[in-house]
Amino acid sequence: MAITRLTDIITVFDSKWTYGDVKFGYESEVNQDHDTQYPLMLVEPPESTIPVVYNGREEYTFEINFYNLYSQAAQSVVTLQKRWDNLQDLANEWLDMVLKNYQDVSVEAYLEDESIAIERVKEVANDRLVQIKLTFTMSAFTKCFRPVSHYPSDYSDLKVWLKSDSGVTFDIASKRVSAWADQSGNSSNVAQATAANQPLRYGYDGINDKAYLDFDGTNDDFVSGSNLPITTDFTIFEVSKINQLNDVVFGWYRSNAAILIGSGAGGFITASVSDGTNTITATTSGHLNALPHISILKKHNKRIDLEYYDFENSKTATDQNSSFDNTFAFNTAPFNVGSYNGGKYLDGQLNELIIFNRALSDAEIAEVRGYLNLKYKIY
């Protein structure tokens, strides 16, 4: 029974590390074949203890090492402290998602109180890597625990969740991305078959030194493999850095009906929604200036609300049209990431795109935005 439960825990560990490779073994085996996709999680075989007073549970002490690249080029622009901090952010997010796996199911395992220890190590047999060592104890077969962070998957009607640190299929040598897998569980995947039109994937040096996809502003984009999975009302979040005017982060078009989010002619964040006849457009004040930002578009009834946040600005805008057809459904055509209707190609970086098939409440929007800001530290 204990072996089965340990196998279950390891399976959960593997499934929640979506940022790079997972290996099970020892530190001496890191990068032996020089084909690792970083950041890497290495799970060492745990120590097992049966409590003196046995009550049907077993305690496993895990030592898990997280590695990321720290090349000479990176050393000139990113401090070791920042690279460590961001690797620890991924480790913390991974552990939180592991705990959430057990939160709302039958009680199977929990984290022992005060069992977590974090150690930062620089020398790992390859001075181009940084390492975080995480040690903790899990007790199987007994009571539960409650993680405290909010994630998009905590809210109903999540339909698209694209993260540049997860689900990205790319060529290691050229960095060209051919596919980006949806993390919402709805298979709302996007892809680009033409190599010349594929954005580049970088595992670091983006917003807050996080992973990002780089679009060239000429022809780079993705198209979804299925129709946009939203009907009438929706909420869209995006984290990006836009370098030029009239660029689109997210676009959808069919017979003059449209949704787009991007930069306008004045350099402001703008969003537009059309039913094919009537259009609602909102534009925030304050110039983008290629700043890392979070923007949020909520469409509800005959109105849209737009929010924009960067390190010093917080802007909102709204627009409504009493003639707008609120029964119009947007699930009749695929969507694009990084372009709109064959143009307006994005020149910039995209970190995350989240779409809900409903108008979220103000409290829900604040919590999802809080998740994004905690991760990317925009403001």
Side-chain angles (χ1 to χ4, degrees):
M1 186 173 182
I3 294 176
T4 301
R5 181 56 56 222
L6 176 60
T7 301
D8 292 346
I9 293 174
I10 293 298
T11 298
V12 172
F13 284 6
D14 189 2
S15 68
K16 300 305 178 184
W17 183 256
T18 60
Y19 317 103
D21 284 347
V22 178
K23 294 184 183 297
F24 300 92
Y26 299 92
E27 289 187 63
S28 60
E29 300 171 11
V30 172
N31 208 24
Q32 281 185 337
D33 300 322
H34 304 284
D35 59 353
T36 300
Q37 180 177 321
Y38 291 97
L40 166 70
M41 180 176 75
L42 175 71
V43 182
E44 297 194 12
E47 296 181 0
S48 175
T49 303
I50 301 294
V52 175
V53 179
Y54 183 63
N55 59 0
R57 66 190 174 104
E58 186 169 355
E59 296 179 351
Y60 300 102
T61 298
F62 291 95
E63 183 174 290
I64 301 182
N65 295 283
F66 304 86
Y67 302 87
N68 206 353
L69 292 171
Y70 191 47
S71 64
Q72 290 184 347
Q75 292 171 24
S76 64
V77 294
V78 180
T79 65
L80 179 62
Q81 180 70 36
K82 171 62 73 173
R83 186 53 50 84
W84 263 334
D85 285 346
N86 285 303
L87 186 58
Q88 187 169 321
D89 284 348
L90 290 181
N92 291 343
E93 181 176 296
W94 165 82
L95 181 58
D96 210 37
M97 296 302 285
V98 168
L99 299 185
K100 279 181 177 290
N101 182 81
Y102 296 104
Q103 181 178 17
D104 299 317
V105 298
S106 301
V107 177
E108 294 180 345
Y110 71 95
L111 189 67
E112 287 282 6
D113 293 341
E114 301 180 358
S115 71
I116 296 179
I118 297 175
E119 177 184 355
R120 297 184 173 193
V121 182
K122 182 181 180 183
E123 299 298 333
V124 290
N126 184 337
D127 62 5
R128 292 187 299 170
L129 297 179
V130 293
Q131 175 187 8
I132 295 289
K133 186 185 298 290
L134 180 64
T135 305
F136 58 89
T137 300
M138 292 192 73
S139 182
F141 316 124
T142 79
K143 66 180 181 181
C144 199
F145 41 77
R146 293 195 176 275
V148 298
S149 300
H150 296 286
Y151 292 92
S153 52
D154 294 337
Y155 306 94
S156 63
D157 294 308
L158 174 66
K159 296 300 182 182
V160 179
W161 188 7
L162 298 172
K163 306 192 296 176
S164 55
D165 57 19
S166 304
V168 181
T169 300
F170 66 100
D171 179 79
I172 293 177
S174 70
K175 303 185 186 300
R176 293 192 177 276
V177 178
S178 58
W180 197 1
D182 169 40
Q183 303 298 302
S184 75
N186 295 293
S187 299
S188 300
N189 307 319
V190 299
Q192 175 54 261
T194 303
N197 300 345
Q198 294 171 349
L200 306 182
R201 192 264 188 186
Y202 293 88
Y204 46 84
D205 289 343
I207 298 171
N208 195 36
D209 198 34
K210 303 299 187 188
Y212 68 96
L213 302 190
D214 184 62
F215 294 73
D216 66 4
T218 302
N219 52 23
D220 286 358
D221 75 342
F222 295 109
V223 62
S224 62
S226 55
N227 288 349
L228 178 63
I230 59 177
T231 50
T232 56
D233 290 347
F234 56 83
T235 310
I236 301 175
F237 299 77
E238 63 91 5
V239 181
S240 67
K241 185 173 74 169
I242 305 174
N243 296 330
Q244 63 184 17
L245 308 181
N246 295 314
D247 283 9
V248 167
V249 174
F250 172 86
W252 178 89
Y253 180 87
R254 183 177 183 271
S255 301
N256 293 324
I259 304 172
L260 64 86
I261 306 172
S263 60
F268 312 126
I269 280 289
T270 187
S272 182
V273 180
S274 173
D275 61 12
T277 302
N278 307 286
T279 301
I280 315 173
T281 300
T283 302
T284 63
S285 60
H287 201 283
L288 280 170
N289 290 323
L291 293 175
H293 67 268
I294 300 169
S295 69
I296 306 158
L297 169 63
K298 179 169 79 170
K299 188 266 179 185
H300 51 122
N301 297 318
K302 302 174 183 290
R303 165 177 169 160
I304 63 172
D305 295 327
L306 180 63
E307 300 180 29
Y308 168 83
Y309 302 87
D310 63 33
F311 77 99
E312 62 180 359
N313 297 296
S314 172
K315 305 289 184 180
T316 60
T318 188
D319 189 28
Q320 57 187 347
N321 186 332
S322 60
S323 299
F324 194 93
D325 180 7
N326 193 47
T327 66
F328 184 87
F330 299 92
N331 58 358
T332 56
F335 63 91
N336 291 89
V337 178
S339 70
Y340 166 76
N341 193 26
K344 295 183 178 292
Y345 289 98
L346 173 64
D347 180 351
Q349 302 176 10
L350 178 58
N351 296 81
E352 203 149 332
L353 178 69
I354 303 167
I355 303 176
F356 291 88
N357 186 31
R358 64 182 175 93
L360 269 60
S361 68
D362 291 343
E364 290 172 324
I365 287 175
E367 288 174 348
V368 176
R369 188 183 77 235
Y371 150 75
L372 292 171
N373 190 55
L374 180 65
K375 182 174 183 177
Y376 298 105
K377 296 179 175 58
I378 298 294
Y379 54 87

